[in-house]
Amino acid sequence: MGKMALFDFVMDFGNSSREQVVPMTVFVAILCLCLVIGHLLEENRWVNESITAIIIGCISGTIILFISKGKSSHILRFNEEVFFIYLLPPIIFNAGFQVKKKQFFHNFLTIMSFGVIGVFISSSIITAGSWWLFPKLNFDGLSVRDYLGIGAIFSSTDTVLQKLDVDRFNGWSAVHIFLDFLYLFSTSTALGVAAGLLTSYILKGLYFGRHSSVREISLMLLMAYLSYMLAELFSLSGILTVFFSGILMSHYAWHNVTDSSRITTRHAFEAMSFIAETFIFLYVGMDALDIEKWKMSKQSVWTSMGIYGTVLILIAVGRAAFVFPLSALSNFMNRNATRAPSISFEHQIVIWWAGLMRGAVSIALAFKQFTYSGVAVDPVHAVMVTTTIIVVLFSTLVFGFLTKPLINYLLPHHDHTRRSIDREPTISKDRLPLLSFEESATTNLLRAKDSLSMLFERPVYTIHSYWRRFDDTYMRPIFGGARRNESSGSG
């Protein structure tokens, strides 16, 4: 009897393993097909990789739906935990690692104002707008937490707003939420910076490349992933943490590894991110045809269309509410800079339009907020999941299709503009001195007075100049990185 039980166990395990291997094999085969078709459409001015993956996902979902006789359009069942733990980190880390550091640091204040103030404005508008308009469309049943979740889902690509404590919702809730937001943003960023600096210091001090370049690459990967998991463990934003970890590793650690490791890391990180992105968008295309969620939704066609349209309008209004004012503020702060940093109205339109697209992060947040293990048990929540899918599909396909032609129309000479922006401004040591302990207090006070007057006159340029001098003087000798004469030609 014991042998028979063992035999049955082995057979059941083999069958269950086969049941998992078959759909994964089919999905990977479709993924390979998606890469091939994406390569063939590389020169197309309308289609990008995400659009290609979504379209192929929809076609594959239709075929699977036909084969299963209308039962399912899925090969795999979506798991938001798998998305946040395995698929999202390489995408965000590569975004930080491949970022153009010179432009990023030079426009750091503008980027941070968009990322902090802008996201908060957008989420507030979407939350308030949906709270006011959804009942007018005869769509009720959402809680305060759900409305705040809607604001987070459709306003940002981060999970910061999903981690806010909305249980304290009262007369001071706006203040509490904003303070929580700033706390999460600052602590998550600090953790990412610490992880990047620690990795850089280890690579510079131990010089792994003497024995094995594999250890260098492995350490960078594991430290980035460790920072993401620590952020999630302490209920911080893993996306922000791993993003800034990637920036710091690219700025310092990348220069502490061997030449072969530099080439390998660039291509390996980008390949991992590319596969994860394609995997996600392919699944989104299949998920759009999930019959179960559509059957659970009890809303009429016109009510559903009204909800979709309302969300899209709120996304557009919410983004416009911070892109144009904050761009004007950035132009005012850069008004006396030696280069031409102003964000033209054409650039503002492109920034606004390109940011209207929502992607896989919105899908994952919707599943996390409105489902249990990927299944919506409430018709109201099912509507929000389907709404998110429709918004992601519409924004990616329609806005994505039109982005390249819009850029070519509004910015026909954007390559020339980009080259002019790439020129690094000359930092004069005479006009922008650091305080010295070797000189008198009077001299330092006069220098501080001149520096403060320059700070008010040209704030962004002055802060960036001080940062570059501080970086060259104190940071690079400790954590590594290219010297000034080497970094001037790097992105």
Side-chain angles (χ1 to χ4, degrees):
M1 292 295 293
K3 292 182 178 180
M4 289 298 297
L6 179 61
F7 178 78
D8 292 338
F9 172 78
V10 171
M11 291 300 295
D12 292 339
F13 180 79
N15 292 333
S16 62
S17 299
R18 184 177 179 82
E19 291 177 358
Q20 297 174 3
V21 169
V22 171
M24 181 59 73
T25 303
V26 176
F27 196 93
V28 172
I30 298 174
L31 188 62
C32 293
L33 176 64
C34 186
L35 299 183
V36 173
I37 295 177
H39 170 73
L40 297 176
L41 298 176
E42 181 69 26
E43 301 299 327
N44 192 292
R45 59 178 298 199
W46 299 89
V47 180
N48 55 36
E49 294 290 345
S50 59
I51 294 176
T52 302
I54 287 179
I55 293 176
I56 293 177
C58 290
I59 296 173
S60 302
T62 303
I63 295 174
I64 296 170
L65 197 66
F66 178 77
I67 295 175
S68 64
K69 299 180 180 180
K71 294 181 180 180
S72 175
S73 64
H74 291 282
I75 299 177
L76 303 172
R77 174 61 64 180
F78 186 88
N79 188 328
E80 66 274 11
E81 297 300 329
V82 172
F83 172 84
F84 281 112
I85 294 177
Y86 299 109
L87 294 178
L88 188 59
I91 297 174
I92 305 302
F93 174 72
N94 181 69
F97 194 82
Q98 304 286 355
V99 73
K100 299 295 183 181
K101 298 182 293 297
K102 187 159 53 180
Q103 290 92 325
F104 178 83
F105 286 117
H106 217 122
N107 298 282
F108 184 77
L109 293 181
T110 302
I111 294 172
M112 287 299 99
S113 66
F114 275 53
V116 180
I117 302 174
V119 167
F120 196 82
I121 292 174
S122 177
S123 62
S124 299
I125 290 176
I126 294 175
T127 298
S130 59
W131 197 342
W132 178 51
L133 293 174
F134 281 0
K136 297 181 181 297
L137 297 171
N138 297 322
F139 181 59
D140 301 296
L142 294 173
S143 65
V144 173
R145 182 183 292 272
D146 291 335
Y147 282 114
L148 289 173
I150 292 171
I153 290 168
F154 294 114
S155 66
S156 70
T157 57
D158 197 359
T159 56
V160 172
L161 296 176
Q162 285 281 314
K163 298 176 182 291
L164 298 180
D165 183 11
V166 297
D167 294 330
R168 298 185 297 175
F169 196 83
N170 51 45
W172 293 94
S173 60
V175 177
H176 287 153
I177 291 175
F178 186 70
L179 291 177
D180 287 346
F181 180 84
L182 291 179
Y183 167 76
L184 287 170
F185 188 92
S186 59
T187 52
S188 302
T189 301
L191 179 58
V193 170
L197 292 178
L198 179 60
T199 306
S200 304
Y201 184 78
I202 293 174
L203 289 174
K204 186 176 188 297
L206 299 181
Y207 190 54
F208 283 58
R210 288 178 299 179
H211 305 294
S212 172
S213 60
V214 174
R215 292 190 179 95
E216 296 177 319
I217 302 170
S218 301
L219 182 67
M220 295 176 70
L221 275 173
L222 292 175
M223 287 295 290
Y225 191 72
L226 177 63
S227 69
Y228 181 88
M229 297 309 297
L230 285 175
E232 293 296 318
L233 180 64
F234 294 117
S235 298
L236 302 177
S237 170
I239 292 179
L240 274 177
T241 298
V242 77
F243 178 75
F244 278 95
S245 175
I247 292 177
L248 269 293
M249 287 188 191
S250 176
H251 192 60
Y252 297 114
W254 188 76
H255 297 279
N256 299 333
V257 300
T258 60
D259 292 337
S260 60
S261 294
R262 294 183 188 182
I263 298 173
T264 303
T265 52
R266 289 288 185 188
H267 294 294
F269 296 161
E270 190 170 2
M272 292 169 61
S273 171
F274 179 77
I275 293 173
E277 284 185 5
T278 307
F279 187 101
I280 292 167
F281 280 108
L282 193 60
Y283 186 92
V284 168
M286 293 182 180
D287 193 65
L289 301 174
D290 188 4
I291 300 299
E292 297 177 3
K293 288 192 288 290
W294 294 103
K295 286 182 177 180
M296 186 172 291
S297 176
K298 304 297 183 181
Q299 304 297 323
S300 65
V301 175
W302 294 110
T303 300
S304 299
M305 294 294 290
I307 294 172
Y308 307 152
T310 299
V311 171
L312 287 169
I313 292 173
L314 289 175
I315 291 173
V317 173
R319 186 161 181 82
F322 75 84
V323 167
F324 297 105
L326 293 182
S327 297
L329 178 62
S330 175
N331 291 339
F332 176 78
M333 295 179 66
N334 285 282
R335 63 193 182 281
N336 293 320
T338 54
R339 65 190 181 100
S342 61
I343 307 174
S344 66
F345 185 69
E346 289 79 8
H347 281 91
Q348 294 177 35
I349 293 177
V350 171
I351 293 172
W352 169 74
W353 180 270
L356 296 177
M357 286 180 282
R358 293 295 173 264
V361 176
S362 296
I363 295 285
L365 288 176
F367 272 86
K368 191 173 184 178
Q369 178 72 22
F370 299 114
T371 69
Y372 297 95
S373 300
V375 179
V377 297
D378 188 333
V380 174
H381 289 174
V383 171
M384 291 315 306
V385 174
T386 56
T387 299
T388 305
I389 294 172
I390 292 296
V391 169
V392 169
L393 287 175
F394 182 87
S395 62
T396 302
L397 294 175
V398 177
F399 299 152
F401 267 123
L402 299 178
T403 296
K404 286 185 179 179
L406 181 68
I407 293 175
N408 293 332
Y409 176 74
L410 293 177
L411 307 173
H413 305 295
H414 62 279
D415 289 335
H416 173 75
T417 303
R418 182 178 60 194
R419 287 194 296 269
S420 66
I421 290 177
D422 283 347
R423 298 191 186 99
E424 190 72 19
T426 302
I427 302 173
S428 173
K429 294 184 179 180
D430 296 331
R431 297 195 64 188
L432 290 172
L434 292 174
L435 299 183
S436 173
F437 292 107
E438 300 176 357
E439 300 187 13
S440 65
T442 304
T443 303
N444 279 328
L445 285 175
L446 290 175
R447 288 184 173 181
K449 180 181 177 181
D450 293 338
S451 299
L452 284 175
S453 63
M454 262 193 102
L455 178 62
F456 287 111
E457 182 182 355
R458 298 187 295 176
V460 175
Y461 172 75
T462 306
I463 292 173
H464 176 261
S465 301
Y466 270 123
W467 158 249
R468 287 305 304 269
R469 292 195 60 198
F470 177 81
D471 188 33
D472 290 336
T473 306
Y474 300 106
M475 299 296 288
R476 293 180 191 267
I478 299 175
F479 300 105
R483 303 300 297 174
R484 272 297 309 273
N485 56 349
E486 298 175 8
S487 62
S488 60
S490 65

